[in-house]
Amino acid sequence: LVSQVIVQHGTIKLDSYEKEFLGTFAHQIHQKNGHTYNYFPLGTSVLSTPFVAIANAMGYDMIRDEANTQLILTALAALFITIILYKTARLYLKRIESLLLAGLCWFGSSLASTVGTALWSHDFAFLFSSTAILLVLRHHQPKGLLVPALIGLSLFLAYLCRPTLALLSPFLLLYYALQSKKSALLAAATLGLLLLGFIAWSLQEFAQILPDYYLPKRLEGGDFPVALYGNLLSPARGLLIFSPFLLISILLTIGLTIRNKTLAKLSLISLAWPLAHLLSVSQFPHWWAGWSFGARLLVDALPGLFVGLFICMAELRQRRNHVYAAVIISGLFAIYI
């Protein structure tokens, strides 16, 4: 709906829709400075705009056809996410291993139960965060400006879709700086310029530095101990309950990091960032993430955990038969769930 008003009216304001119709969306609708807005992050709407423009040209109306349009975009996001997972795994593993693990990561995690079910803000956020990670891991010493600029752009778009992905940038850029300081600075400069542009737009649109959903006040008022336990181990939201193969991966990553300097650097992505994300979302007042199945709020940290899984499988070449058996058995259980 936001994409459609961008196409038709050049604004994100929803004032052109009837009040009775908008009333059916309850808490998703937000009144601000005398205008009606979508309360949730802006990124997915902006990125969907070209697709909605094509749909409008074909005679589709998002008031009537939004659900089907969302499913098409969800399928496209799922396809590209799976390709990126495979390409990331291929940096460390053979083709068959990469296909197997990419499939396990999709069907045995919240990618299947959340990202694959509707066009959440997680879908495009995951797509761009995993793209940024892949570009950094593949191009340690890039030539030219293009790759660093794409990394900065990907980090910004991930943040625009899911504000919690602001946590990825410092960890990924720090790892990038350990490989190439110049490239990391270029990526950070690109990200910084885009953020300044976003702030300028927000000041113009809302007369405040950031839209409400992006402000840190969303971290206030949670029950942190309960949320931390719930996000990891509860039967409704526990990441390690729904995807137990990730517990094996995390333990292996910790063990291998202690003995390997290269993996210690990579742990900025595979351990430190997911931990920071867990601590952050456990501050949310509604940490259980509403009407959903499984560990929805931890979807955003999965790219880092998957990198840890791929690296562990590559490092344990001499003993990986036992490791693979444990991962596959726990992974099949995750797929069954």
Side-chain angles (χ1 to χ4, degrees):
L1 293 171
V2 177
S3 303
Q4 184 160 275
V5 296
I6 293 174
V7 172
Q8 296 179 354
H9 302 287
T11 180
I12 65 166
K13 298 180 181 72
L14 302 178
D15 300 343
S16 58
Y17 294 113
E18 294 183 2
K19 291 184 178 180
E20 291 78 10
F21 170 69
L22 292 178
T24 63
F25 293 92
H27 63 281
Q28 298 177 43
I29 299 303
H30 181 52
Q31 297 295 326
K32 189 79 173 178
N33 301 331
H35 297 285
T36 305
Y37 294 94
N38 174 27
Y39 176 67
F40 289 94
L42 183 65
T44 299
S45 300
V46 172
L47 293 167
S48 299
T49 299
F51 301 95
V52 172
I54 294 171
N56 284 168
M58 295 172 64
Y60 293 95
D61 187 335
M62 294 305 107
I63 294 177
R64 180 185 65 248
D65 303 308
E66 181 184 31
N68 289 333
T69 306
Q70 280 200 34
L71 289 177
I72 293 170
L73 291 173
T74 299
L76 288 172
L79 173 64
F80 285 110
I81 286 170
T82 306
I83 291 171
I84 291 171
L85 287 175
Y86 170 74
K87 288 185 173 294
T88 304
R90 282 289 286 141
L91 296 176
Y92 308 100
L93 298 161
K94 296 179 181 179
R95 182 178 291 111
I96 297 299
E97 296 167 326
S98 298
L99 284 171
L100 178 66
L101 288 175
L104 172 59
C105 288
W106 177 269
F107 291 105
S109 75
S110 295
L111 289 180
S113 58
T114 293
V115 173
T117 60
L119 192 65
W120 299 81
S121 56
H122 300 283
D123 292 53
F124 288 154
F126 191 104
L127 182 61
F128 286 103
S129 62
S130 57
T131 296
I133 292 171
L134 174 61
L135 289 172
V136 167
L137 295 178
R138 176 180 281 179
H139 301 280
H140 283 166
Q141 300 288 339
K143 296 179 181 179
L145 302 176
L146 179 60
V147 171
L150 287 175
I151 292 168
L153 174 62
S154 296
L155 287 172
F156 171 74
L157 291 176
Y159 165 74
L160 195 64
C161 292
R162 292 287 298 172
T164 49
L165 278 164
L167 292 170
L168 170 60
S169 296
F171 291 102
L172 187 63
L173 291 174
L174 177 57
Y175 172 77
Y176 201 24
L178 295 175
Q179 315 306 315
S180 173
K181 291 183 180 179
K182 180 180 177 181
S183 298
L185 286 173
L186 289 170
T190 302
L191 173 61
L193 288 173
L194 291 168
L195 287 173
L196 286 174
F198 183 50
I199 290 171
W201 171 83
S202 181
L203 288 170
Q204 175 68 26
E205 183 72 29
F206 300 111
Q208 61 189 50
I209 193 168
L210 289 171
D212 287 346
Y213 195 94
Y214 294 79
L215 296 173
K217 67 181 182 181
R218 280 178 44 79
L219 298 175
E220 298 173 356
D223 189 345
F224 179 76
V226 172
L228 185 64
Y229 167 80
N231 280 319
L232 289 176
L233 295 170
S234 76
R237 293 290 179 265
L239 176 71
L240 304 182
I241 301 298
F242 282 82
S243 299
F245 68 94
L246 290 176
L247 175 60
I248 298 172
S249 173
I250 291 169
L251 294 176
L252 287 172
T253 302
I254 293 171
L256 292 171
T257 294
I258 295 172
R259 304 191 299 269
N260 189 311
K261 290 183 179 180
T262 300
L263 293 183
K265 295 177 183 178
L266 279 166
S267 68
L268 287 167
I269 303 170
S270 62
L271 285 177
W273 166 48
L275 177 60
H277 180 83
L278 169 65
L279 296 177
S280 174
V281 298
S282 295
Q283 301 279 357
F284 286 2
H286 295 91
W287 61 266
W288 53 90
W291 188 11
S292 56
F293 180 86
R296 181 171 78 81
L297 289 184
L298 292 181
V299 165
D300 303 324
L302 288 179
L305 296 174
F306 292 160
V307 167
L309 175 65
F310 301 152
I311 294 171
C312 287
M313 295 299 99
E315 287 292 317
L316 295 173
R317 295 189 184 277
Q318 301 302 319
R319 295 171 287 167
R320 63 182 179 181
N321 287 340
H322 298 89
V323 174
Y324 263 109
V327 169
I328 294 300
I329 291 171
S330 59
L332 288 173
F333 177 69
I335 293 171
Y336 169 75
I337 293 176

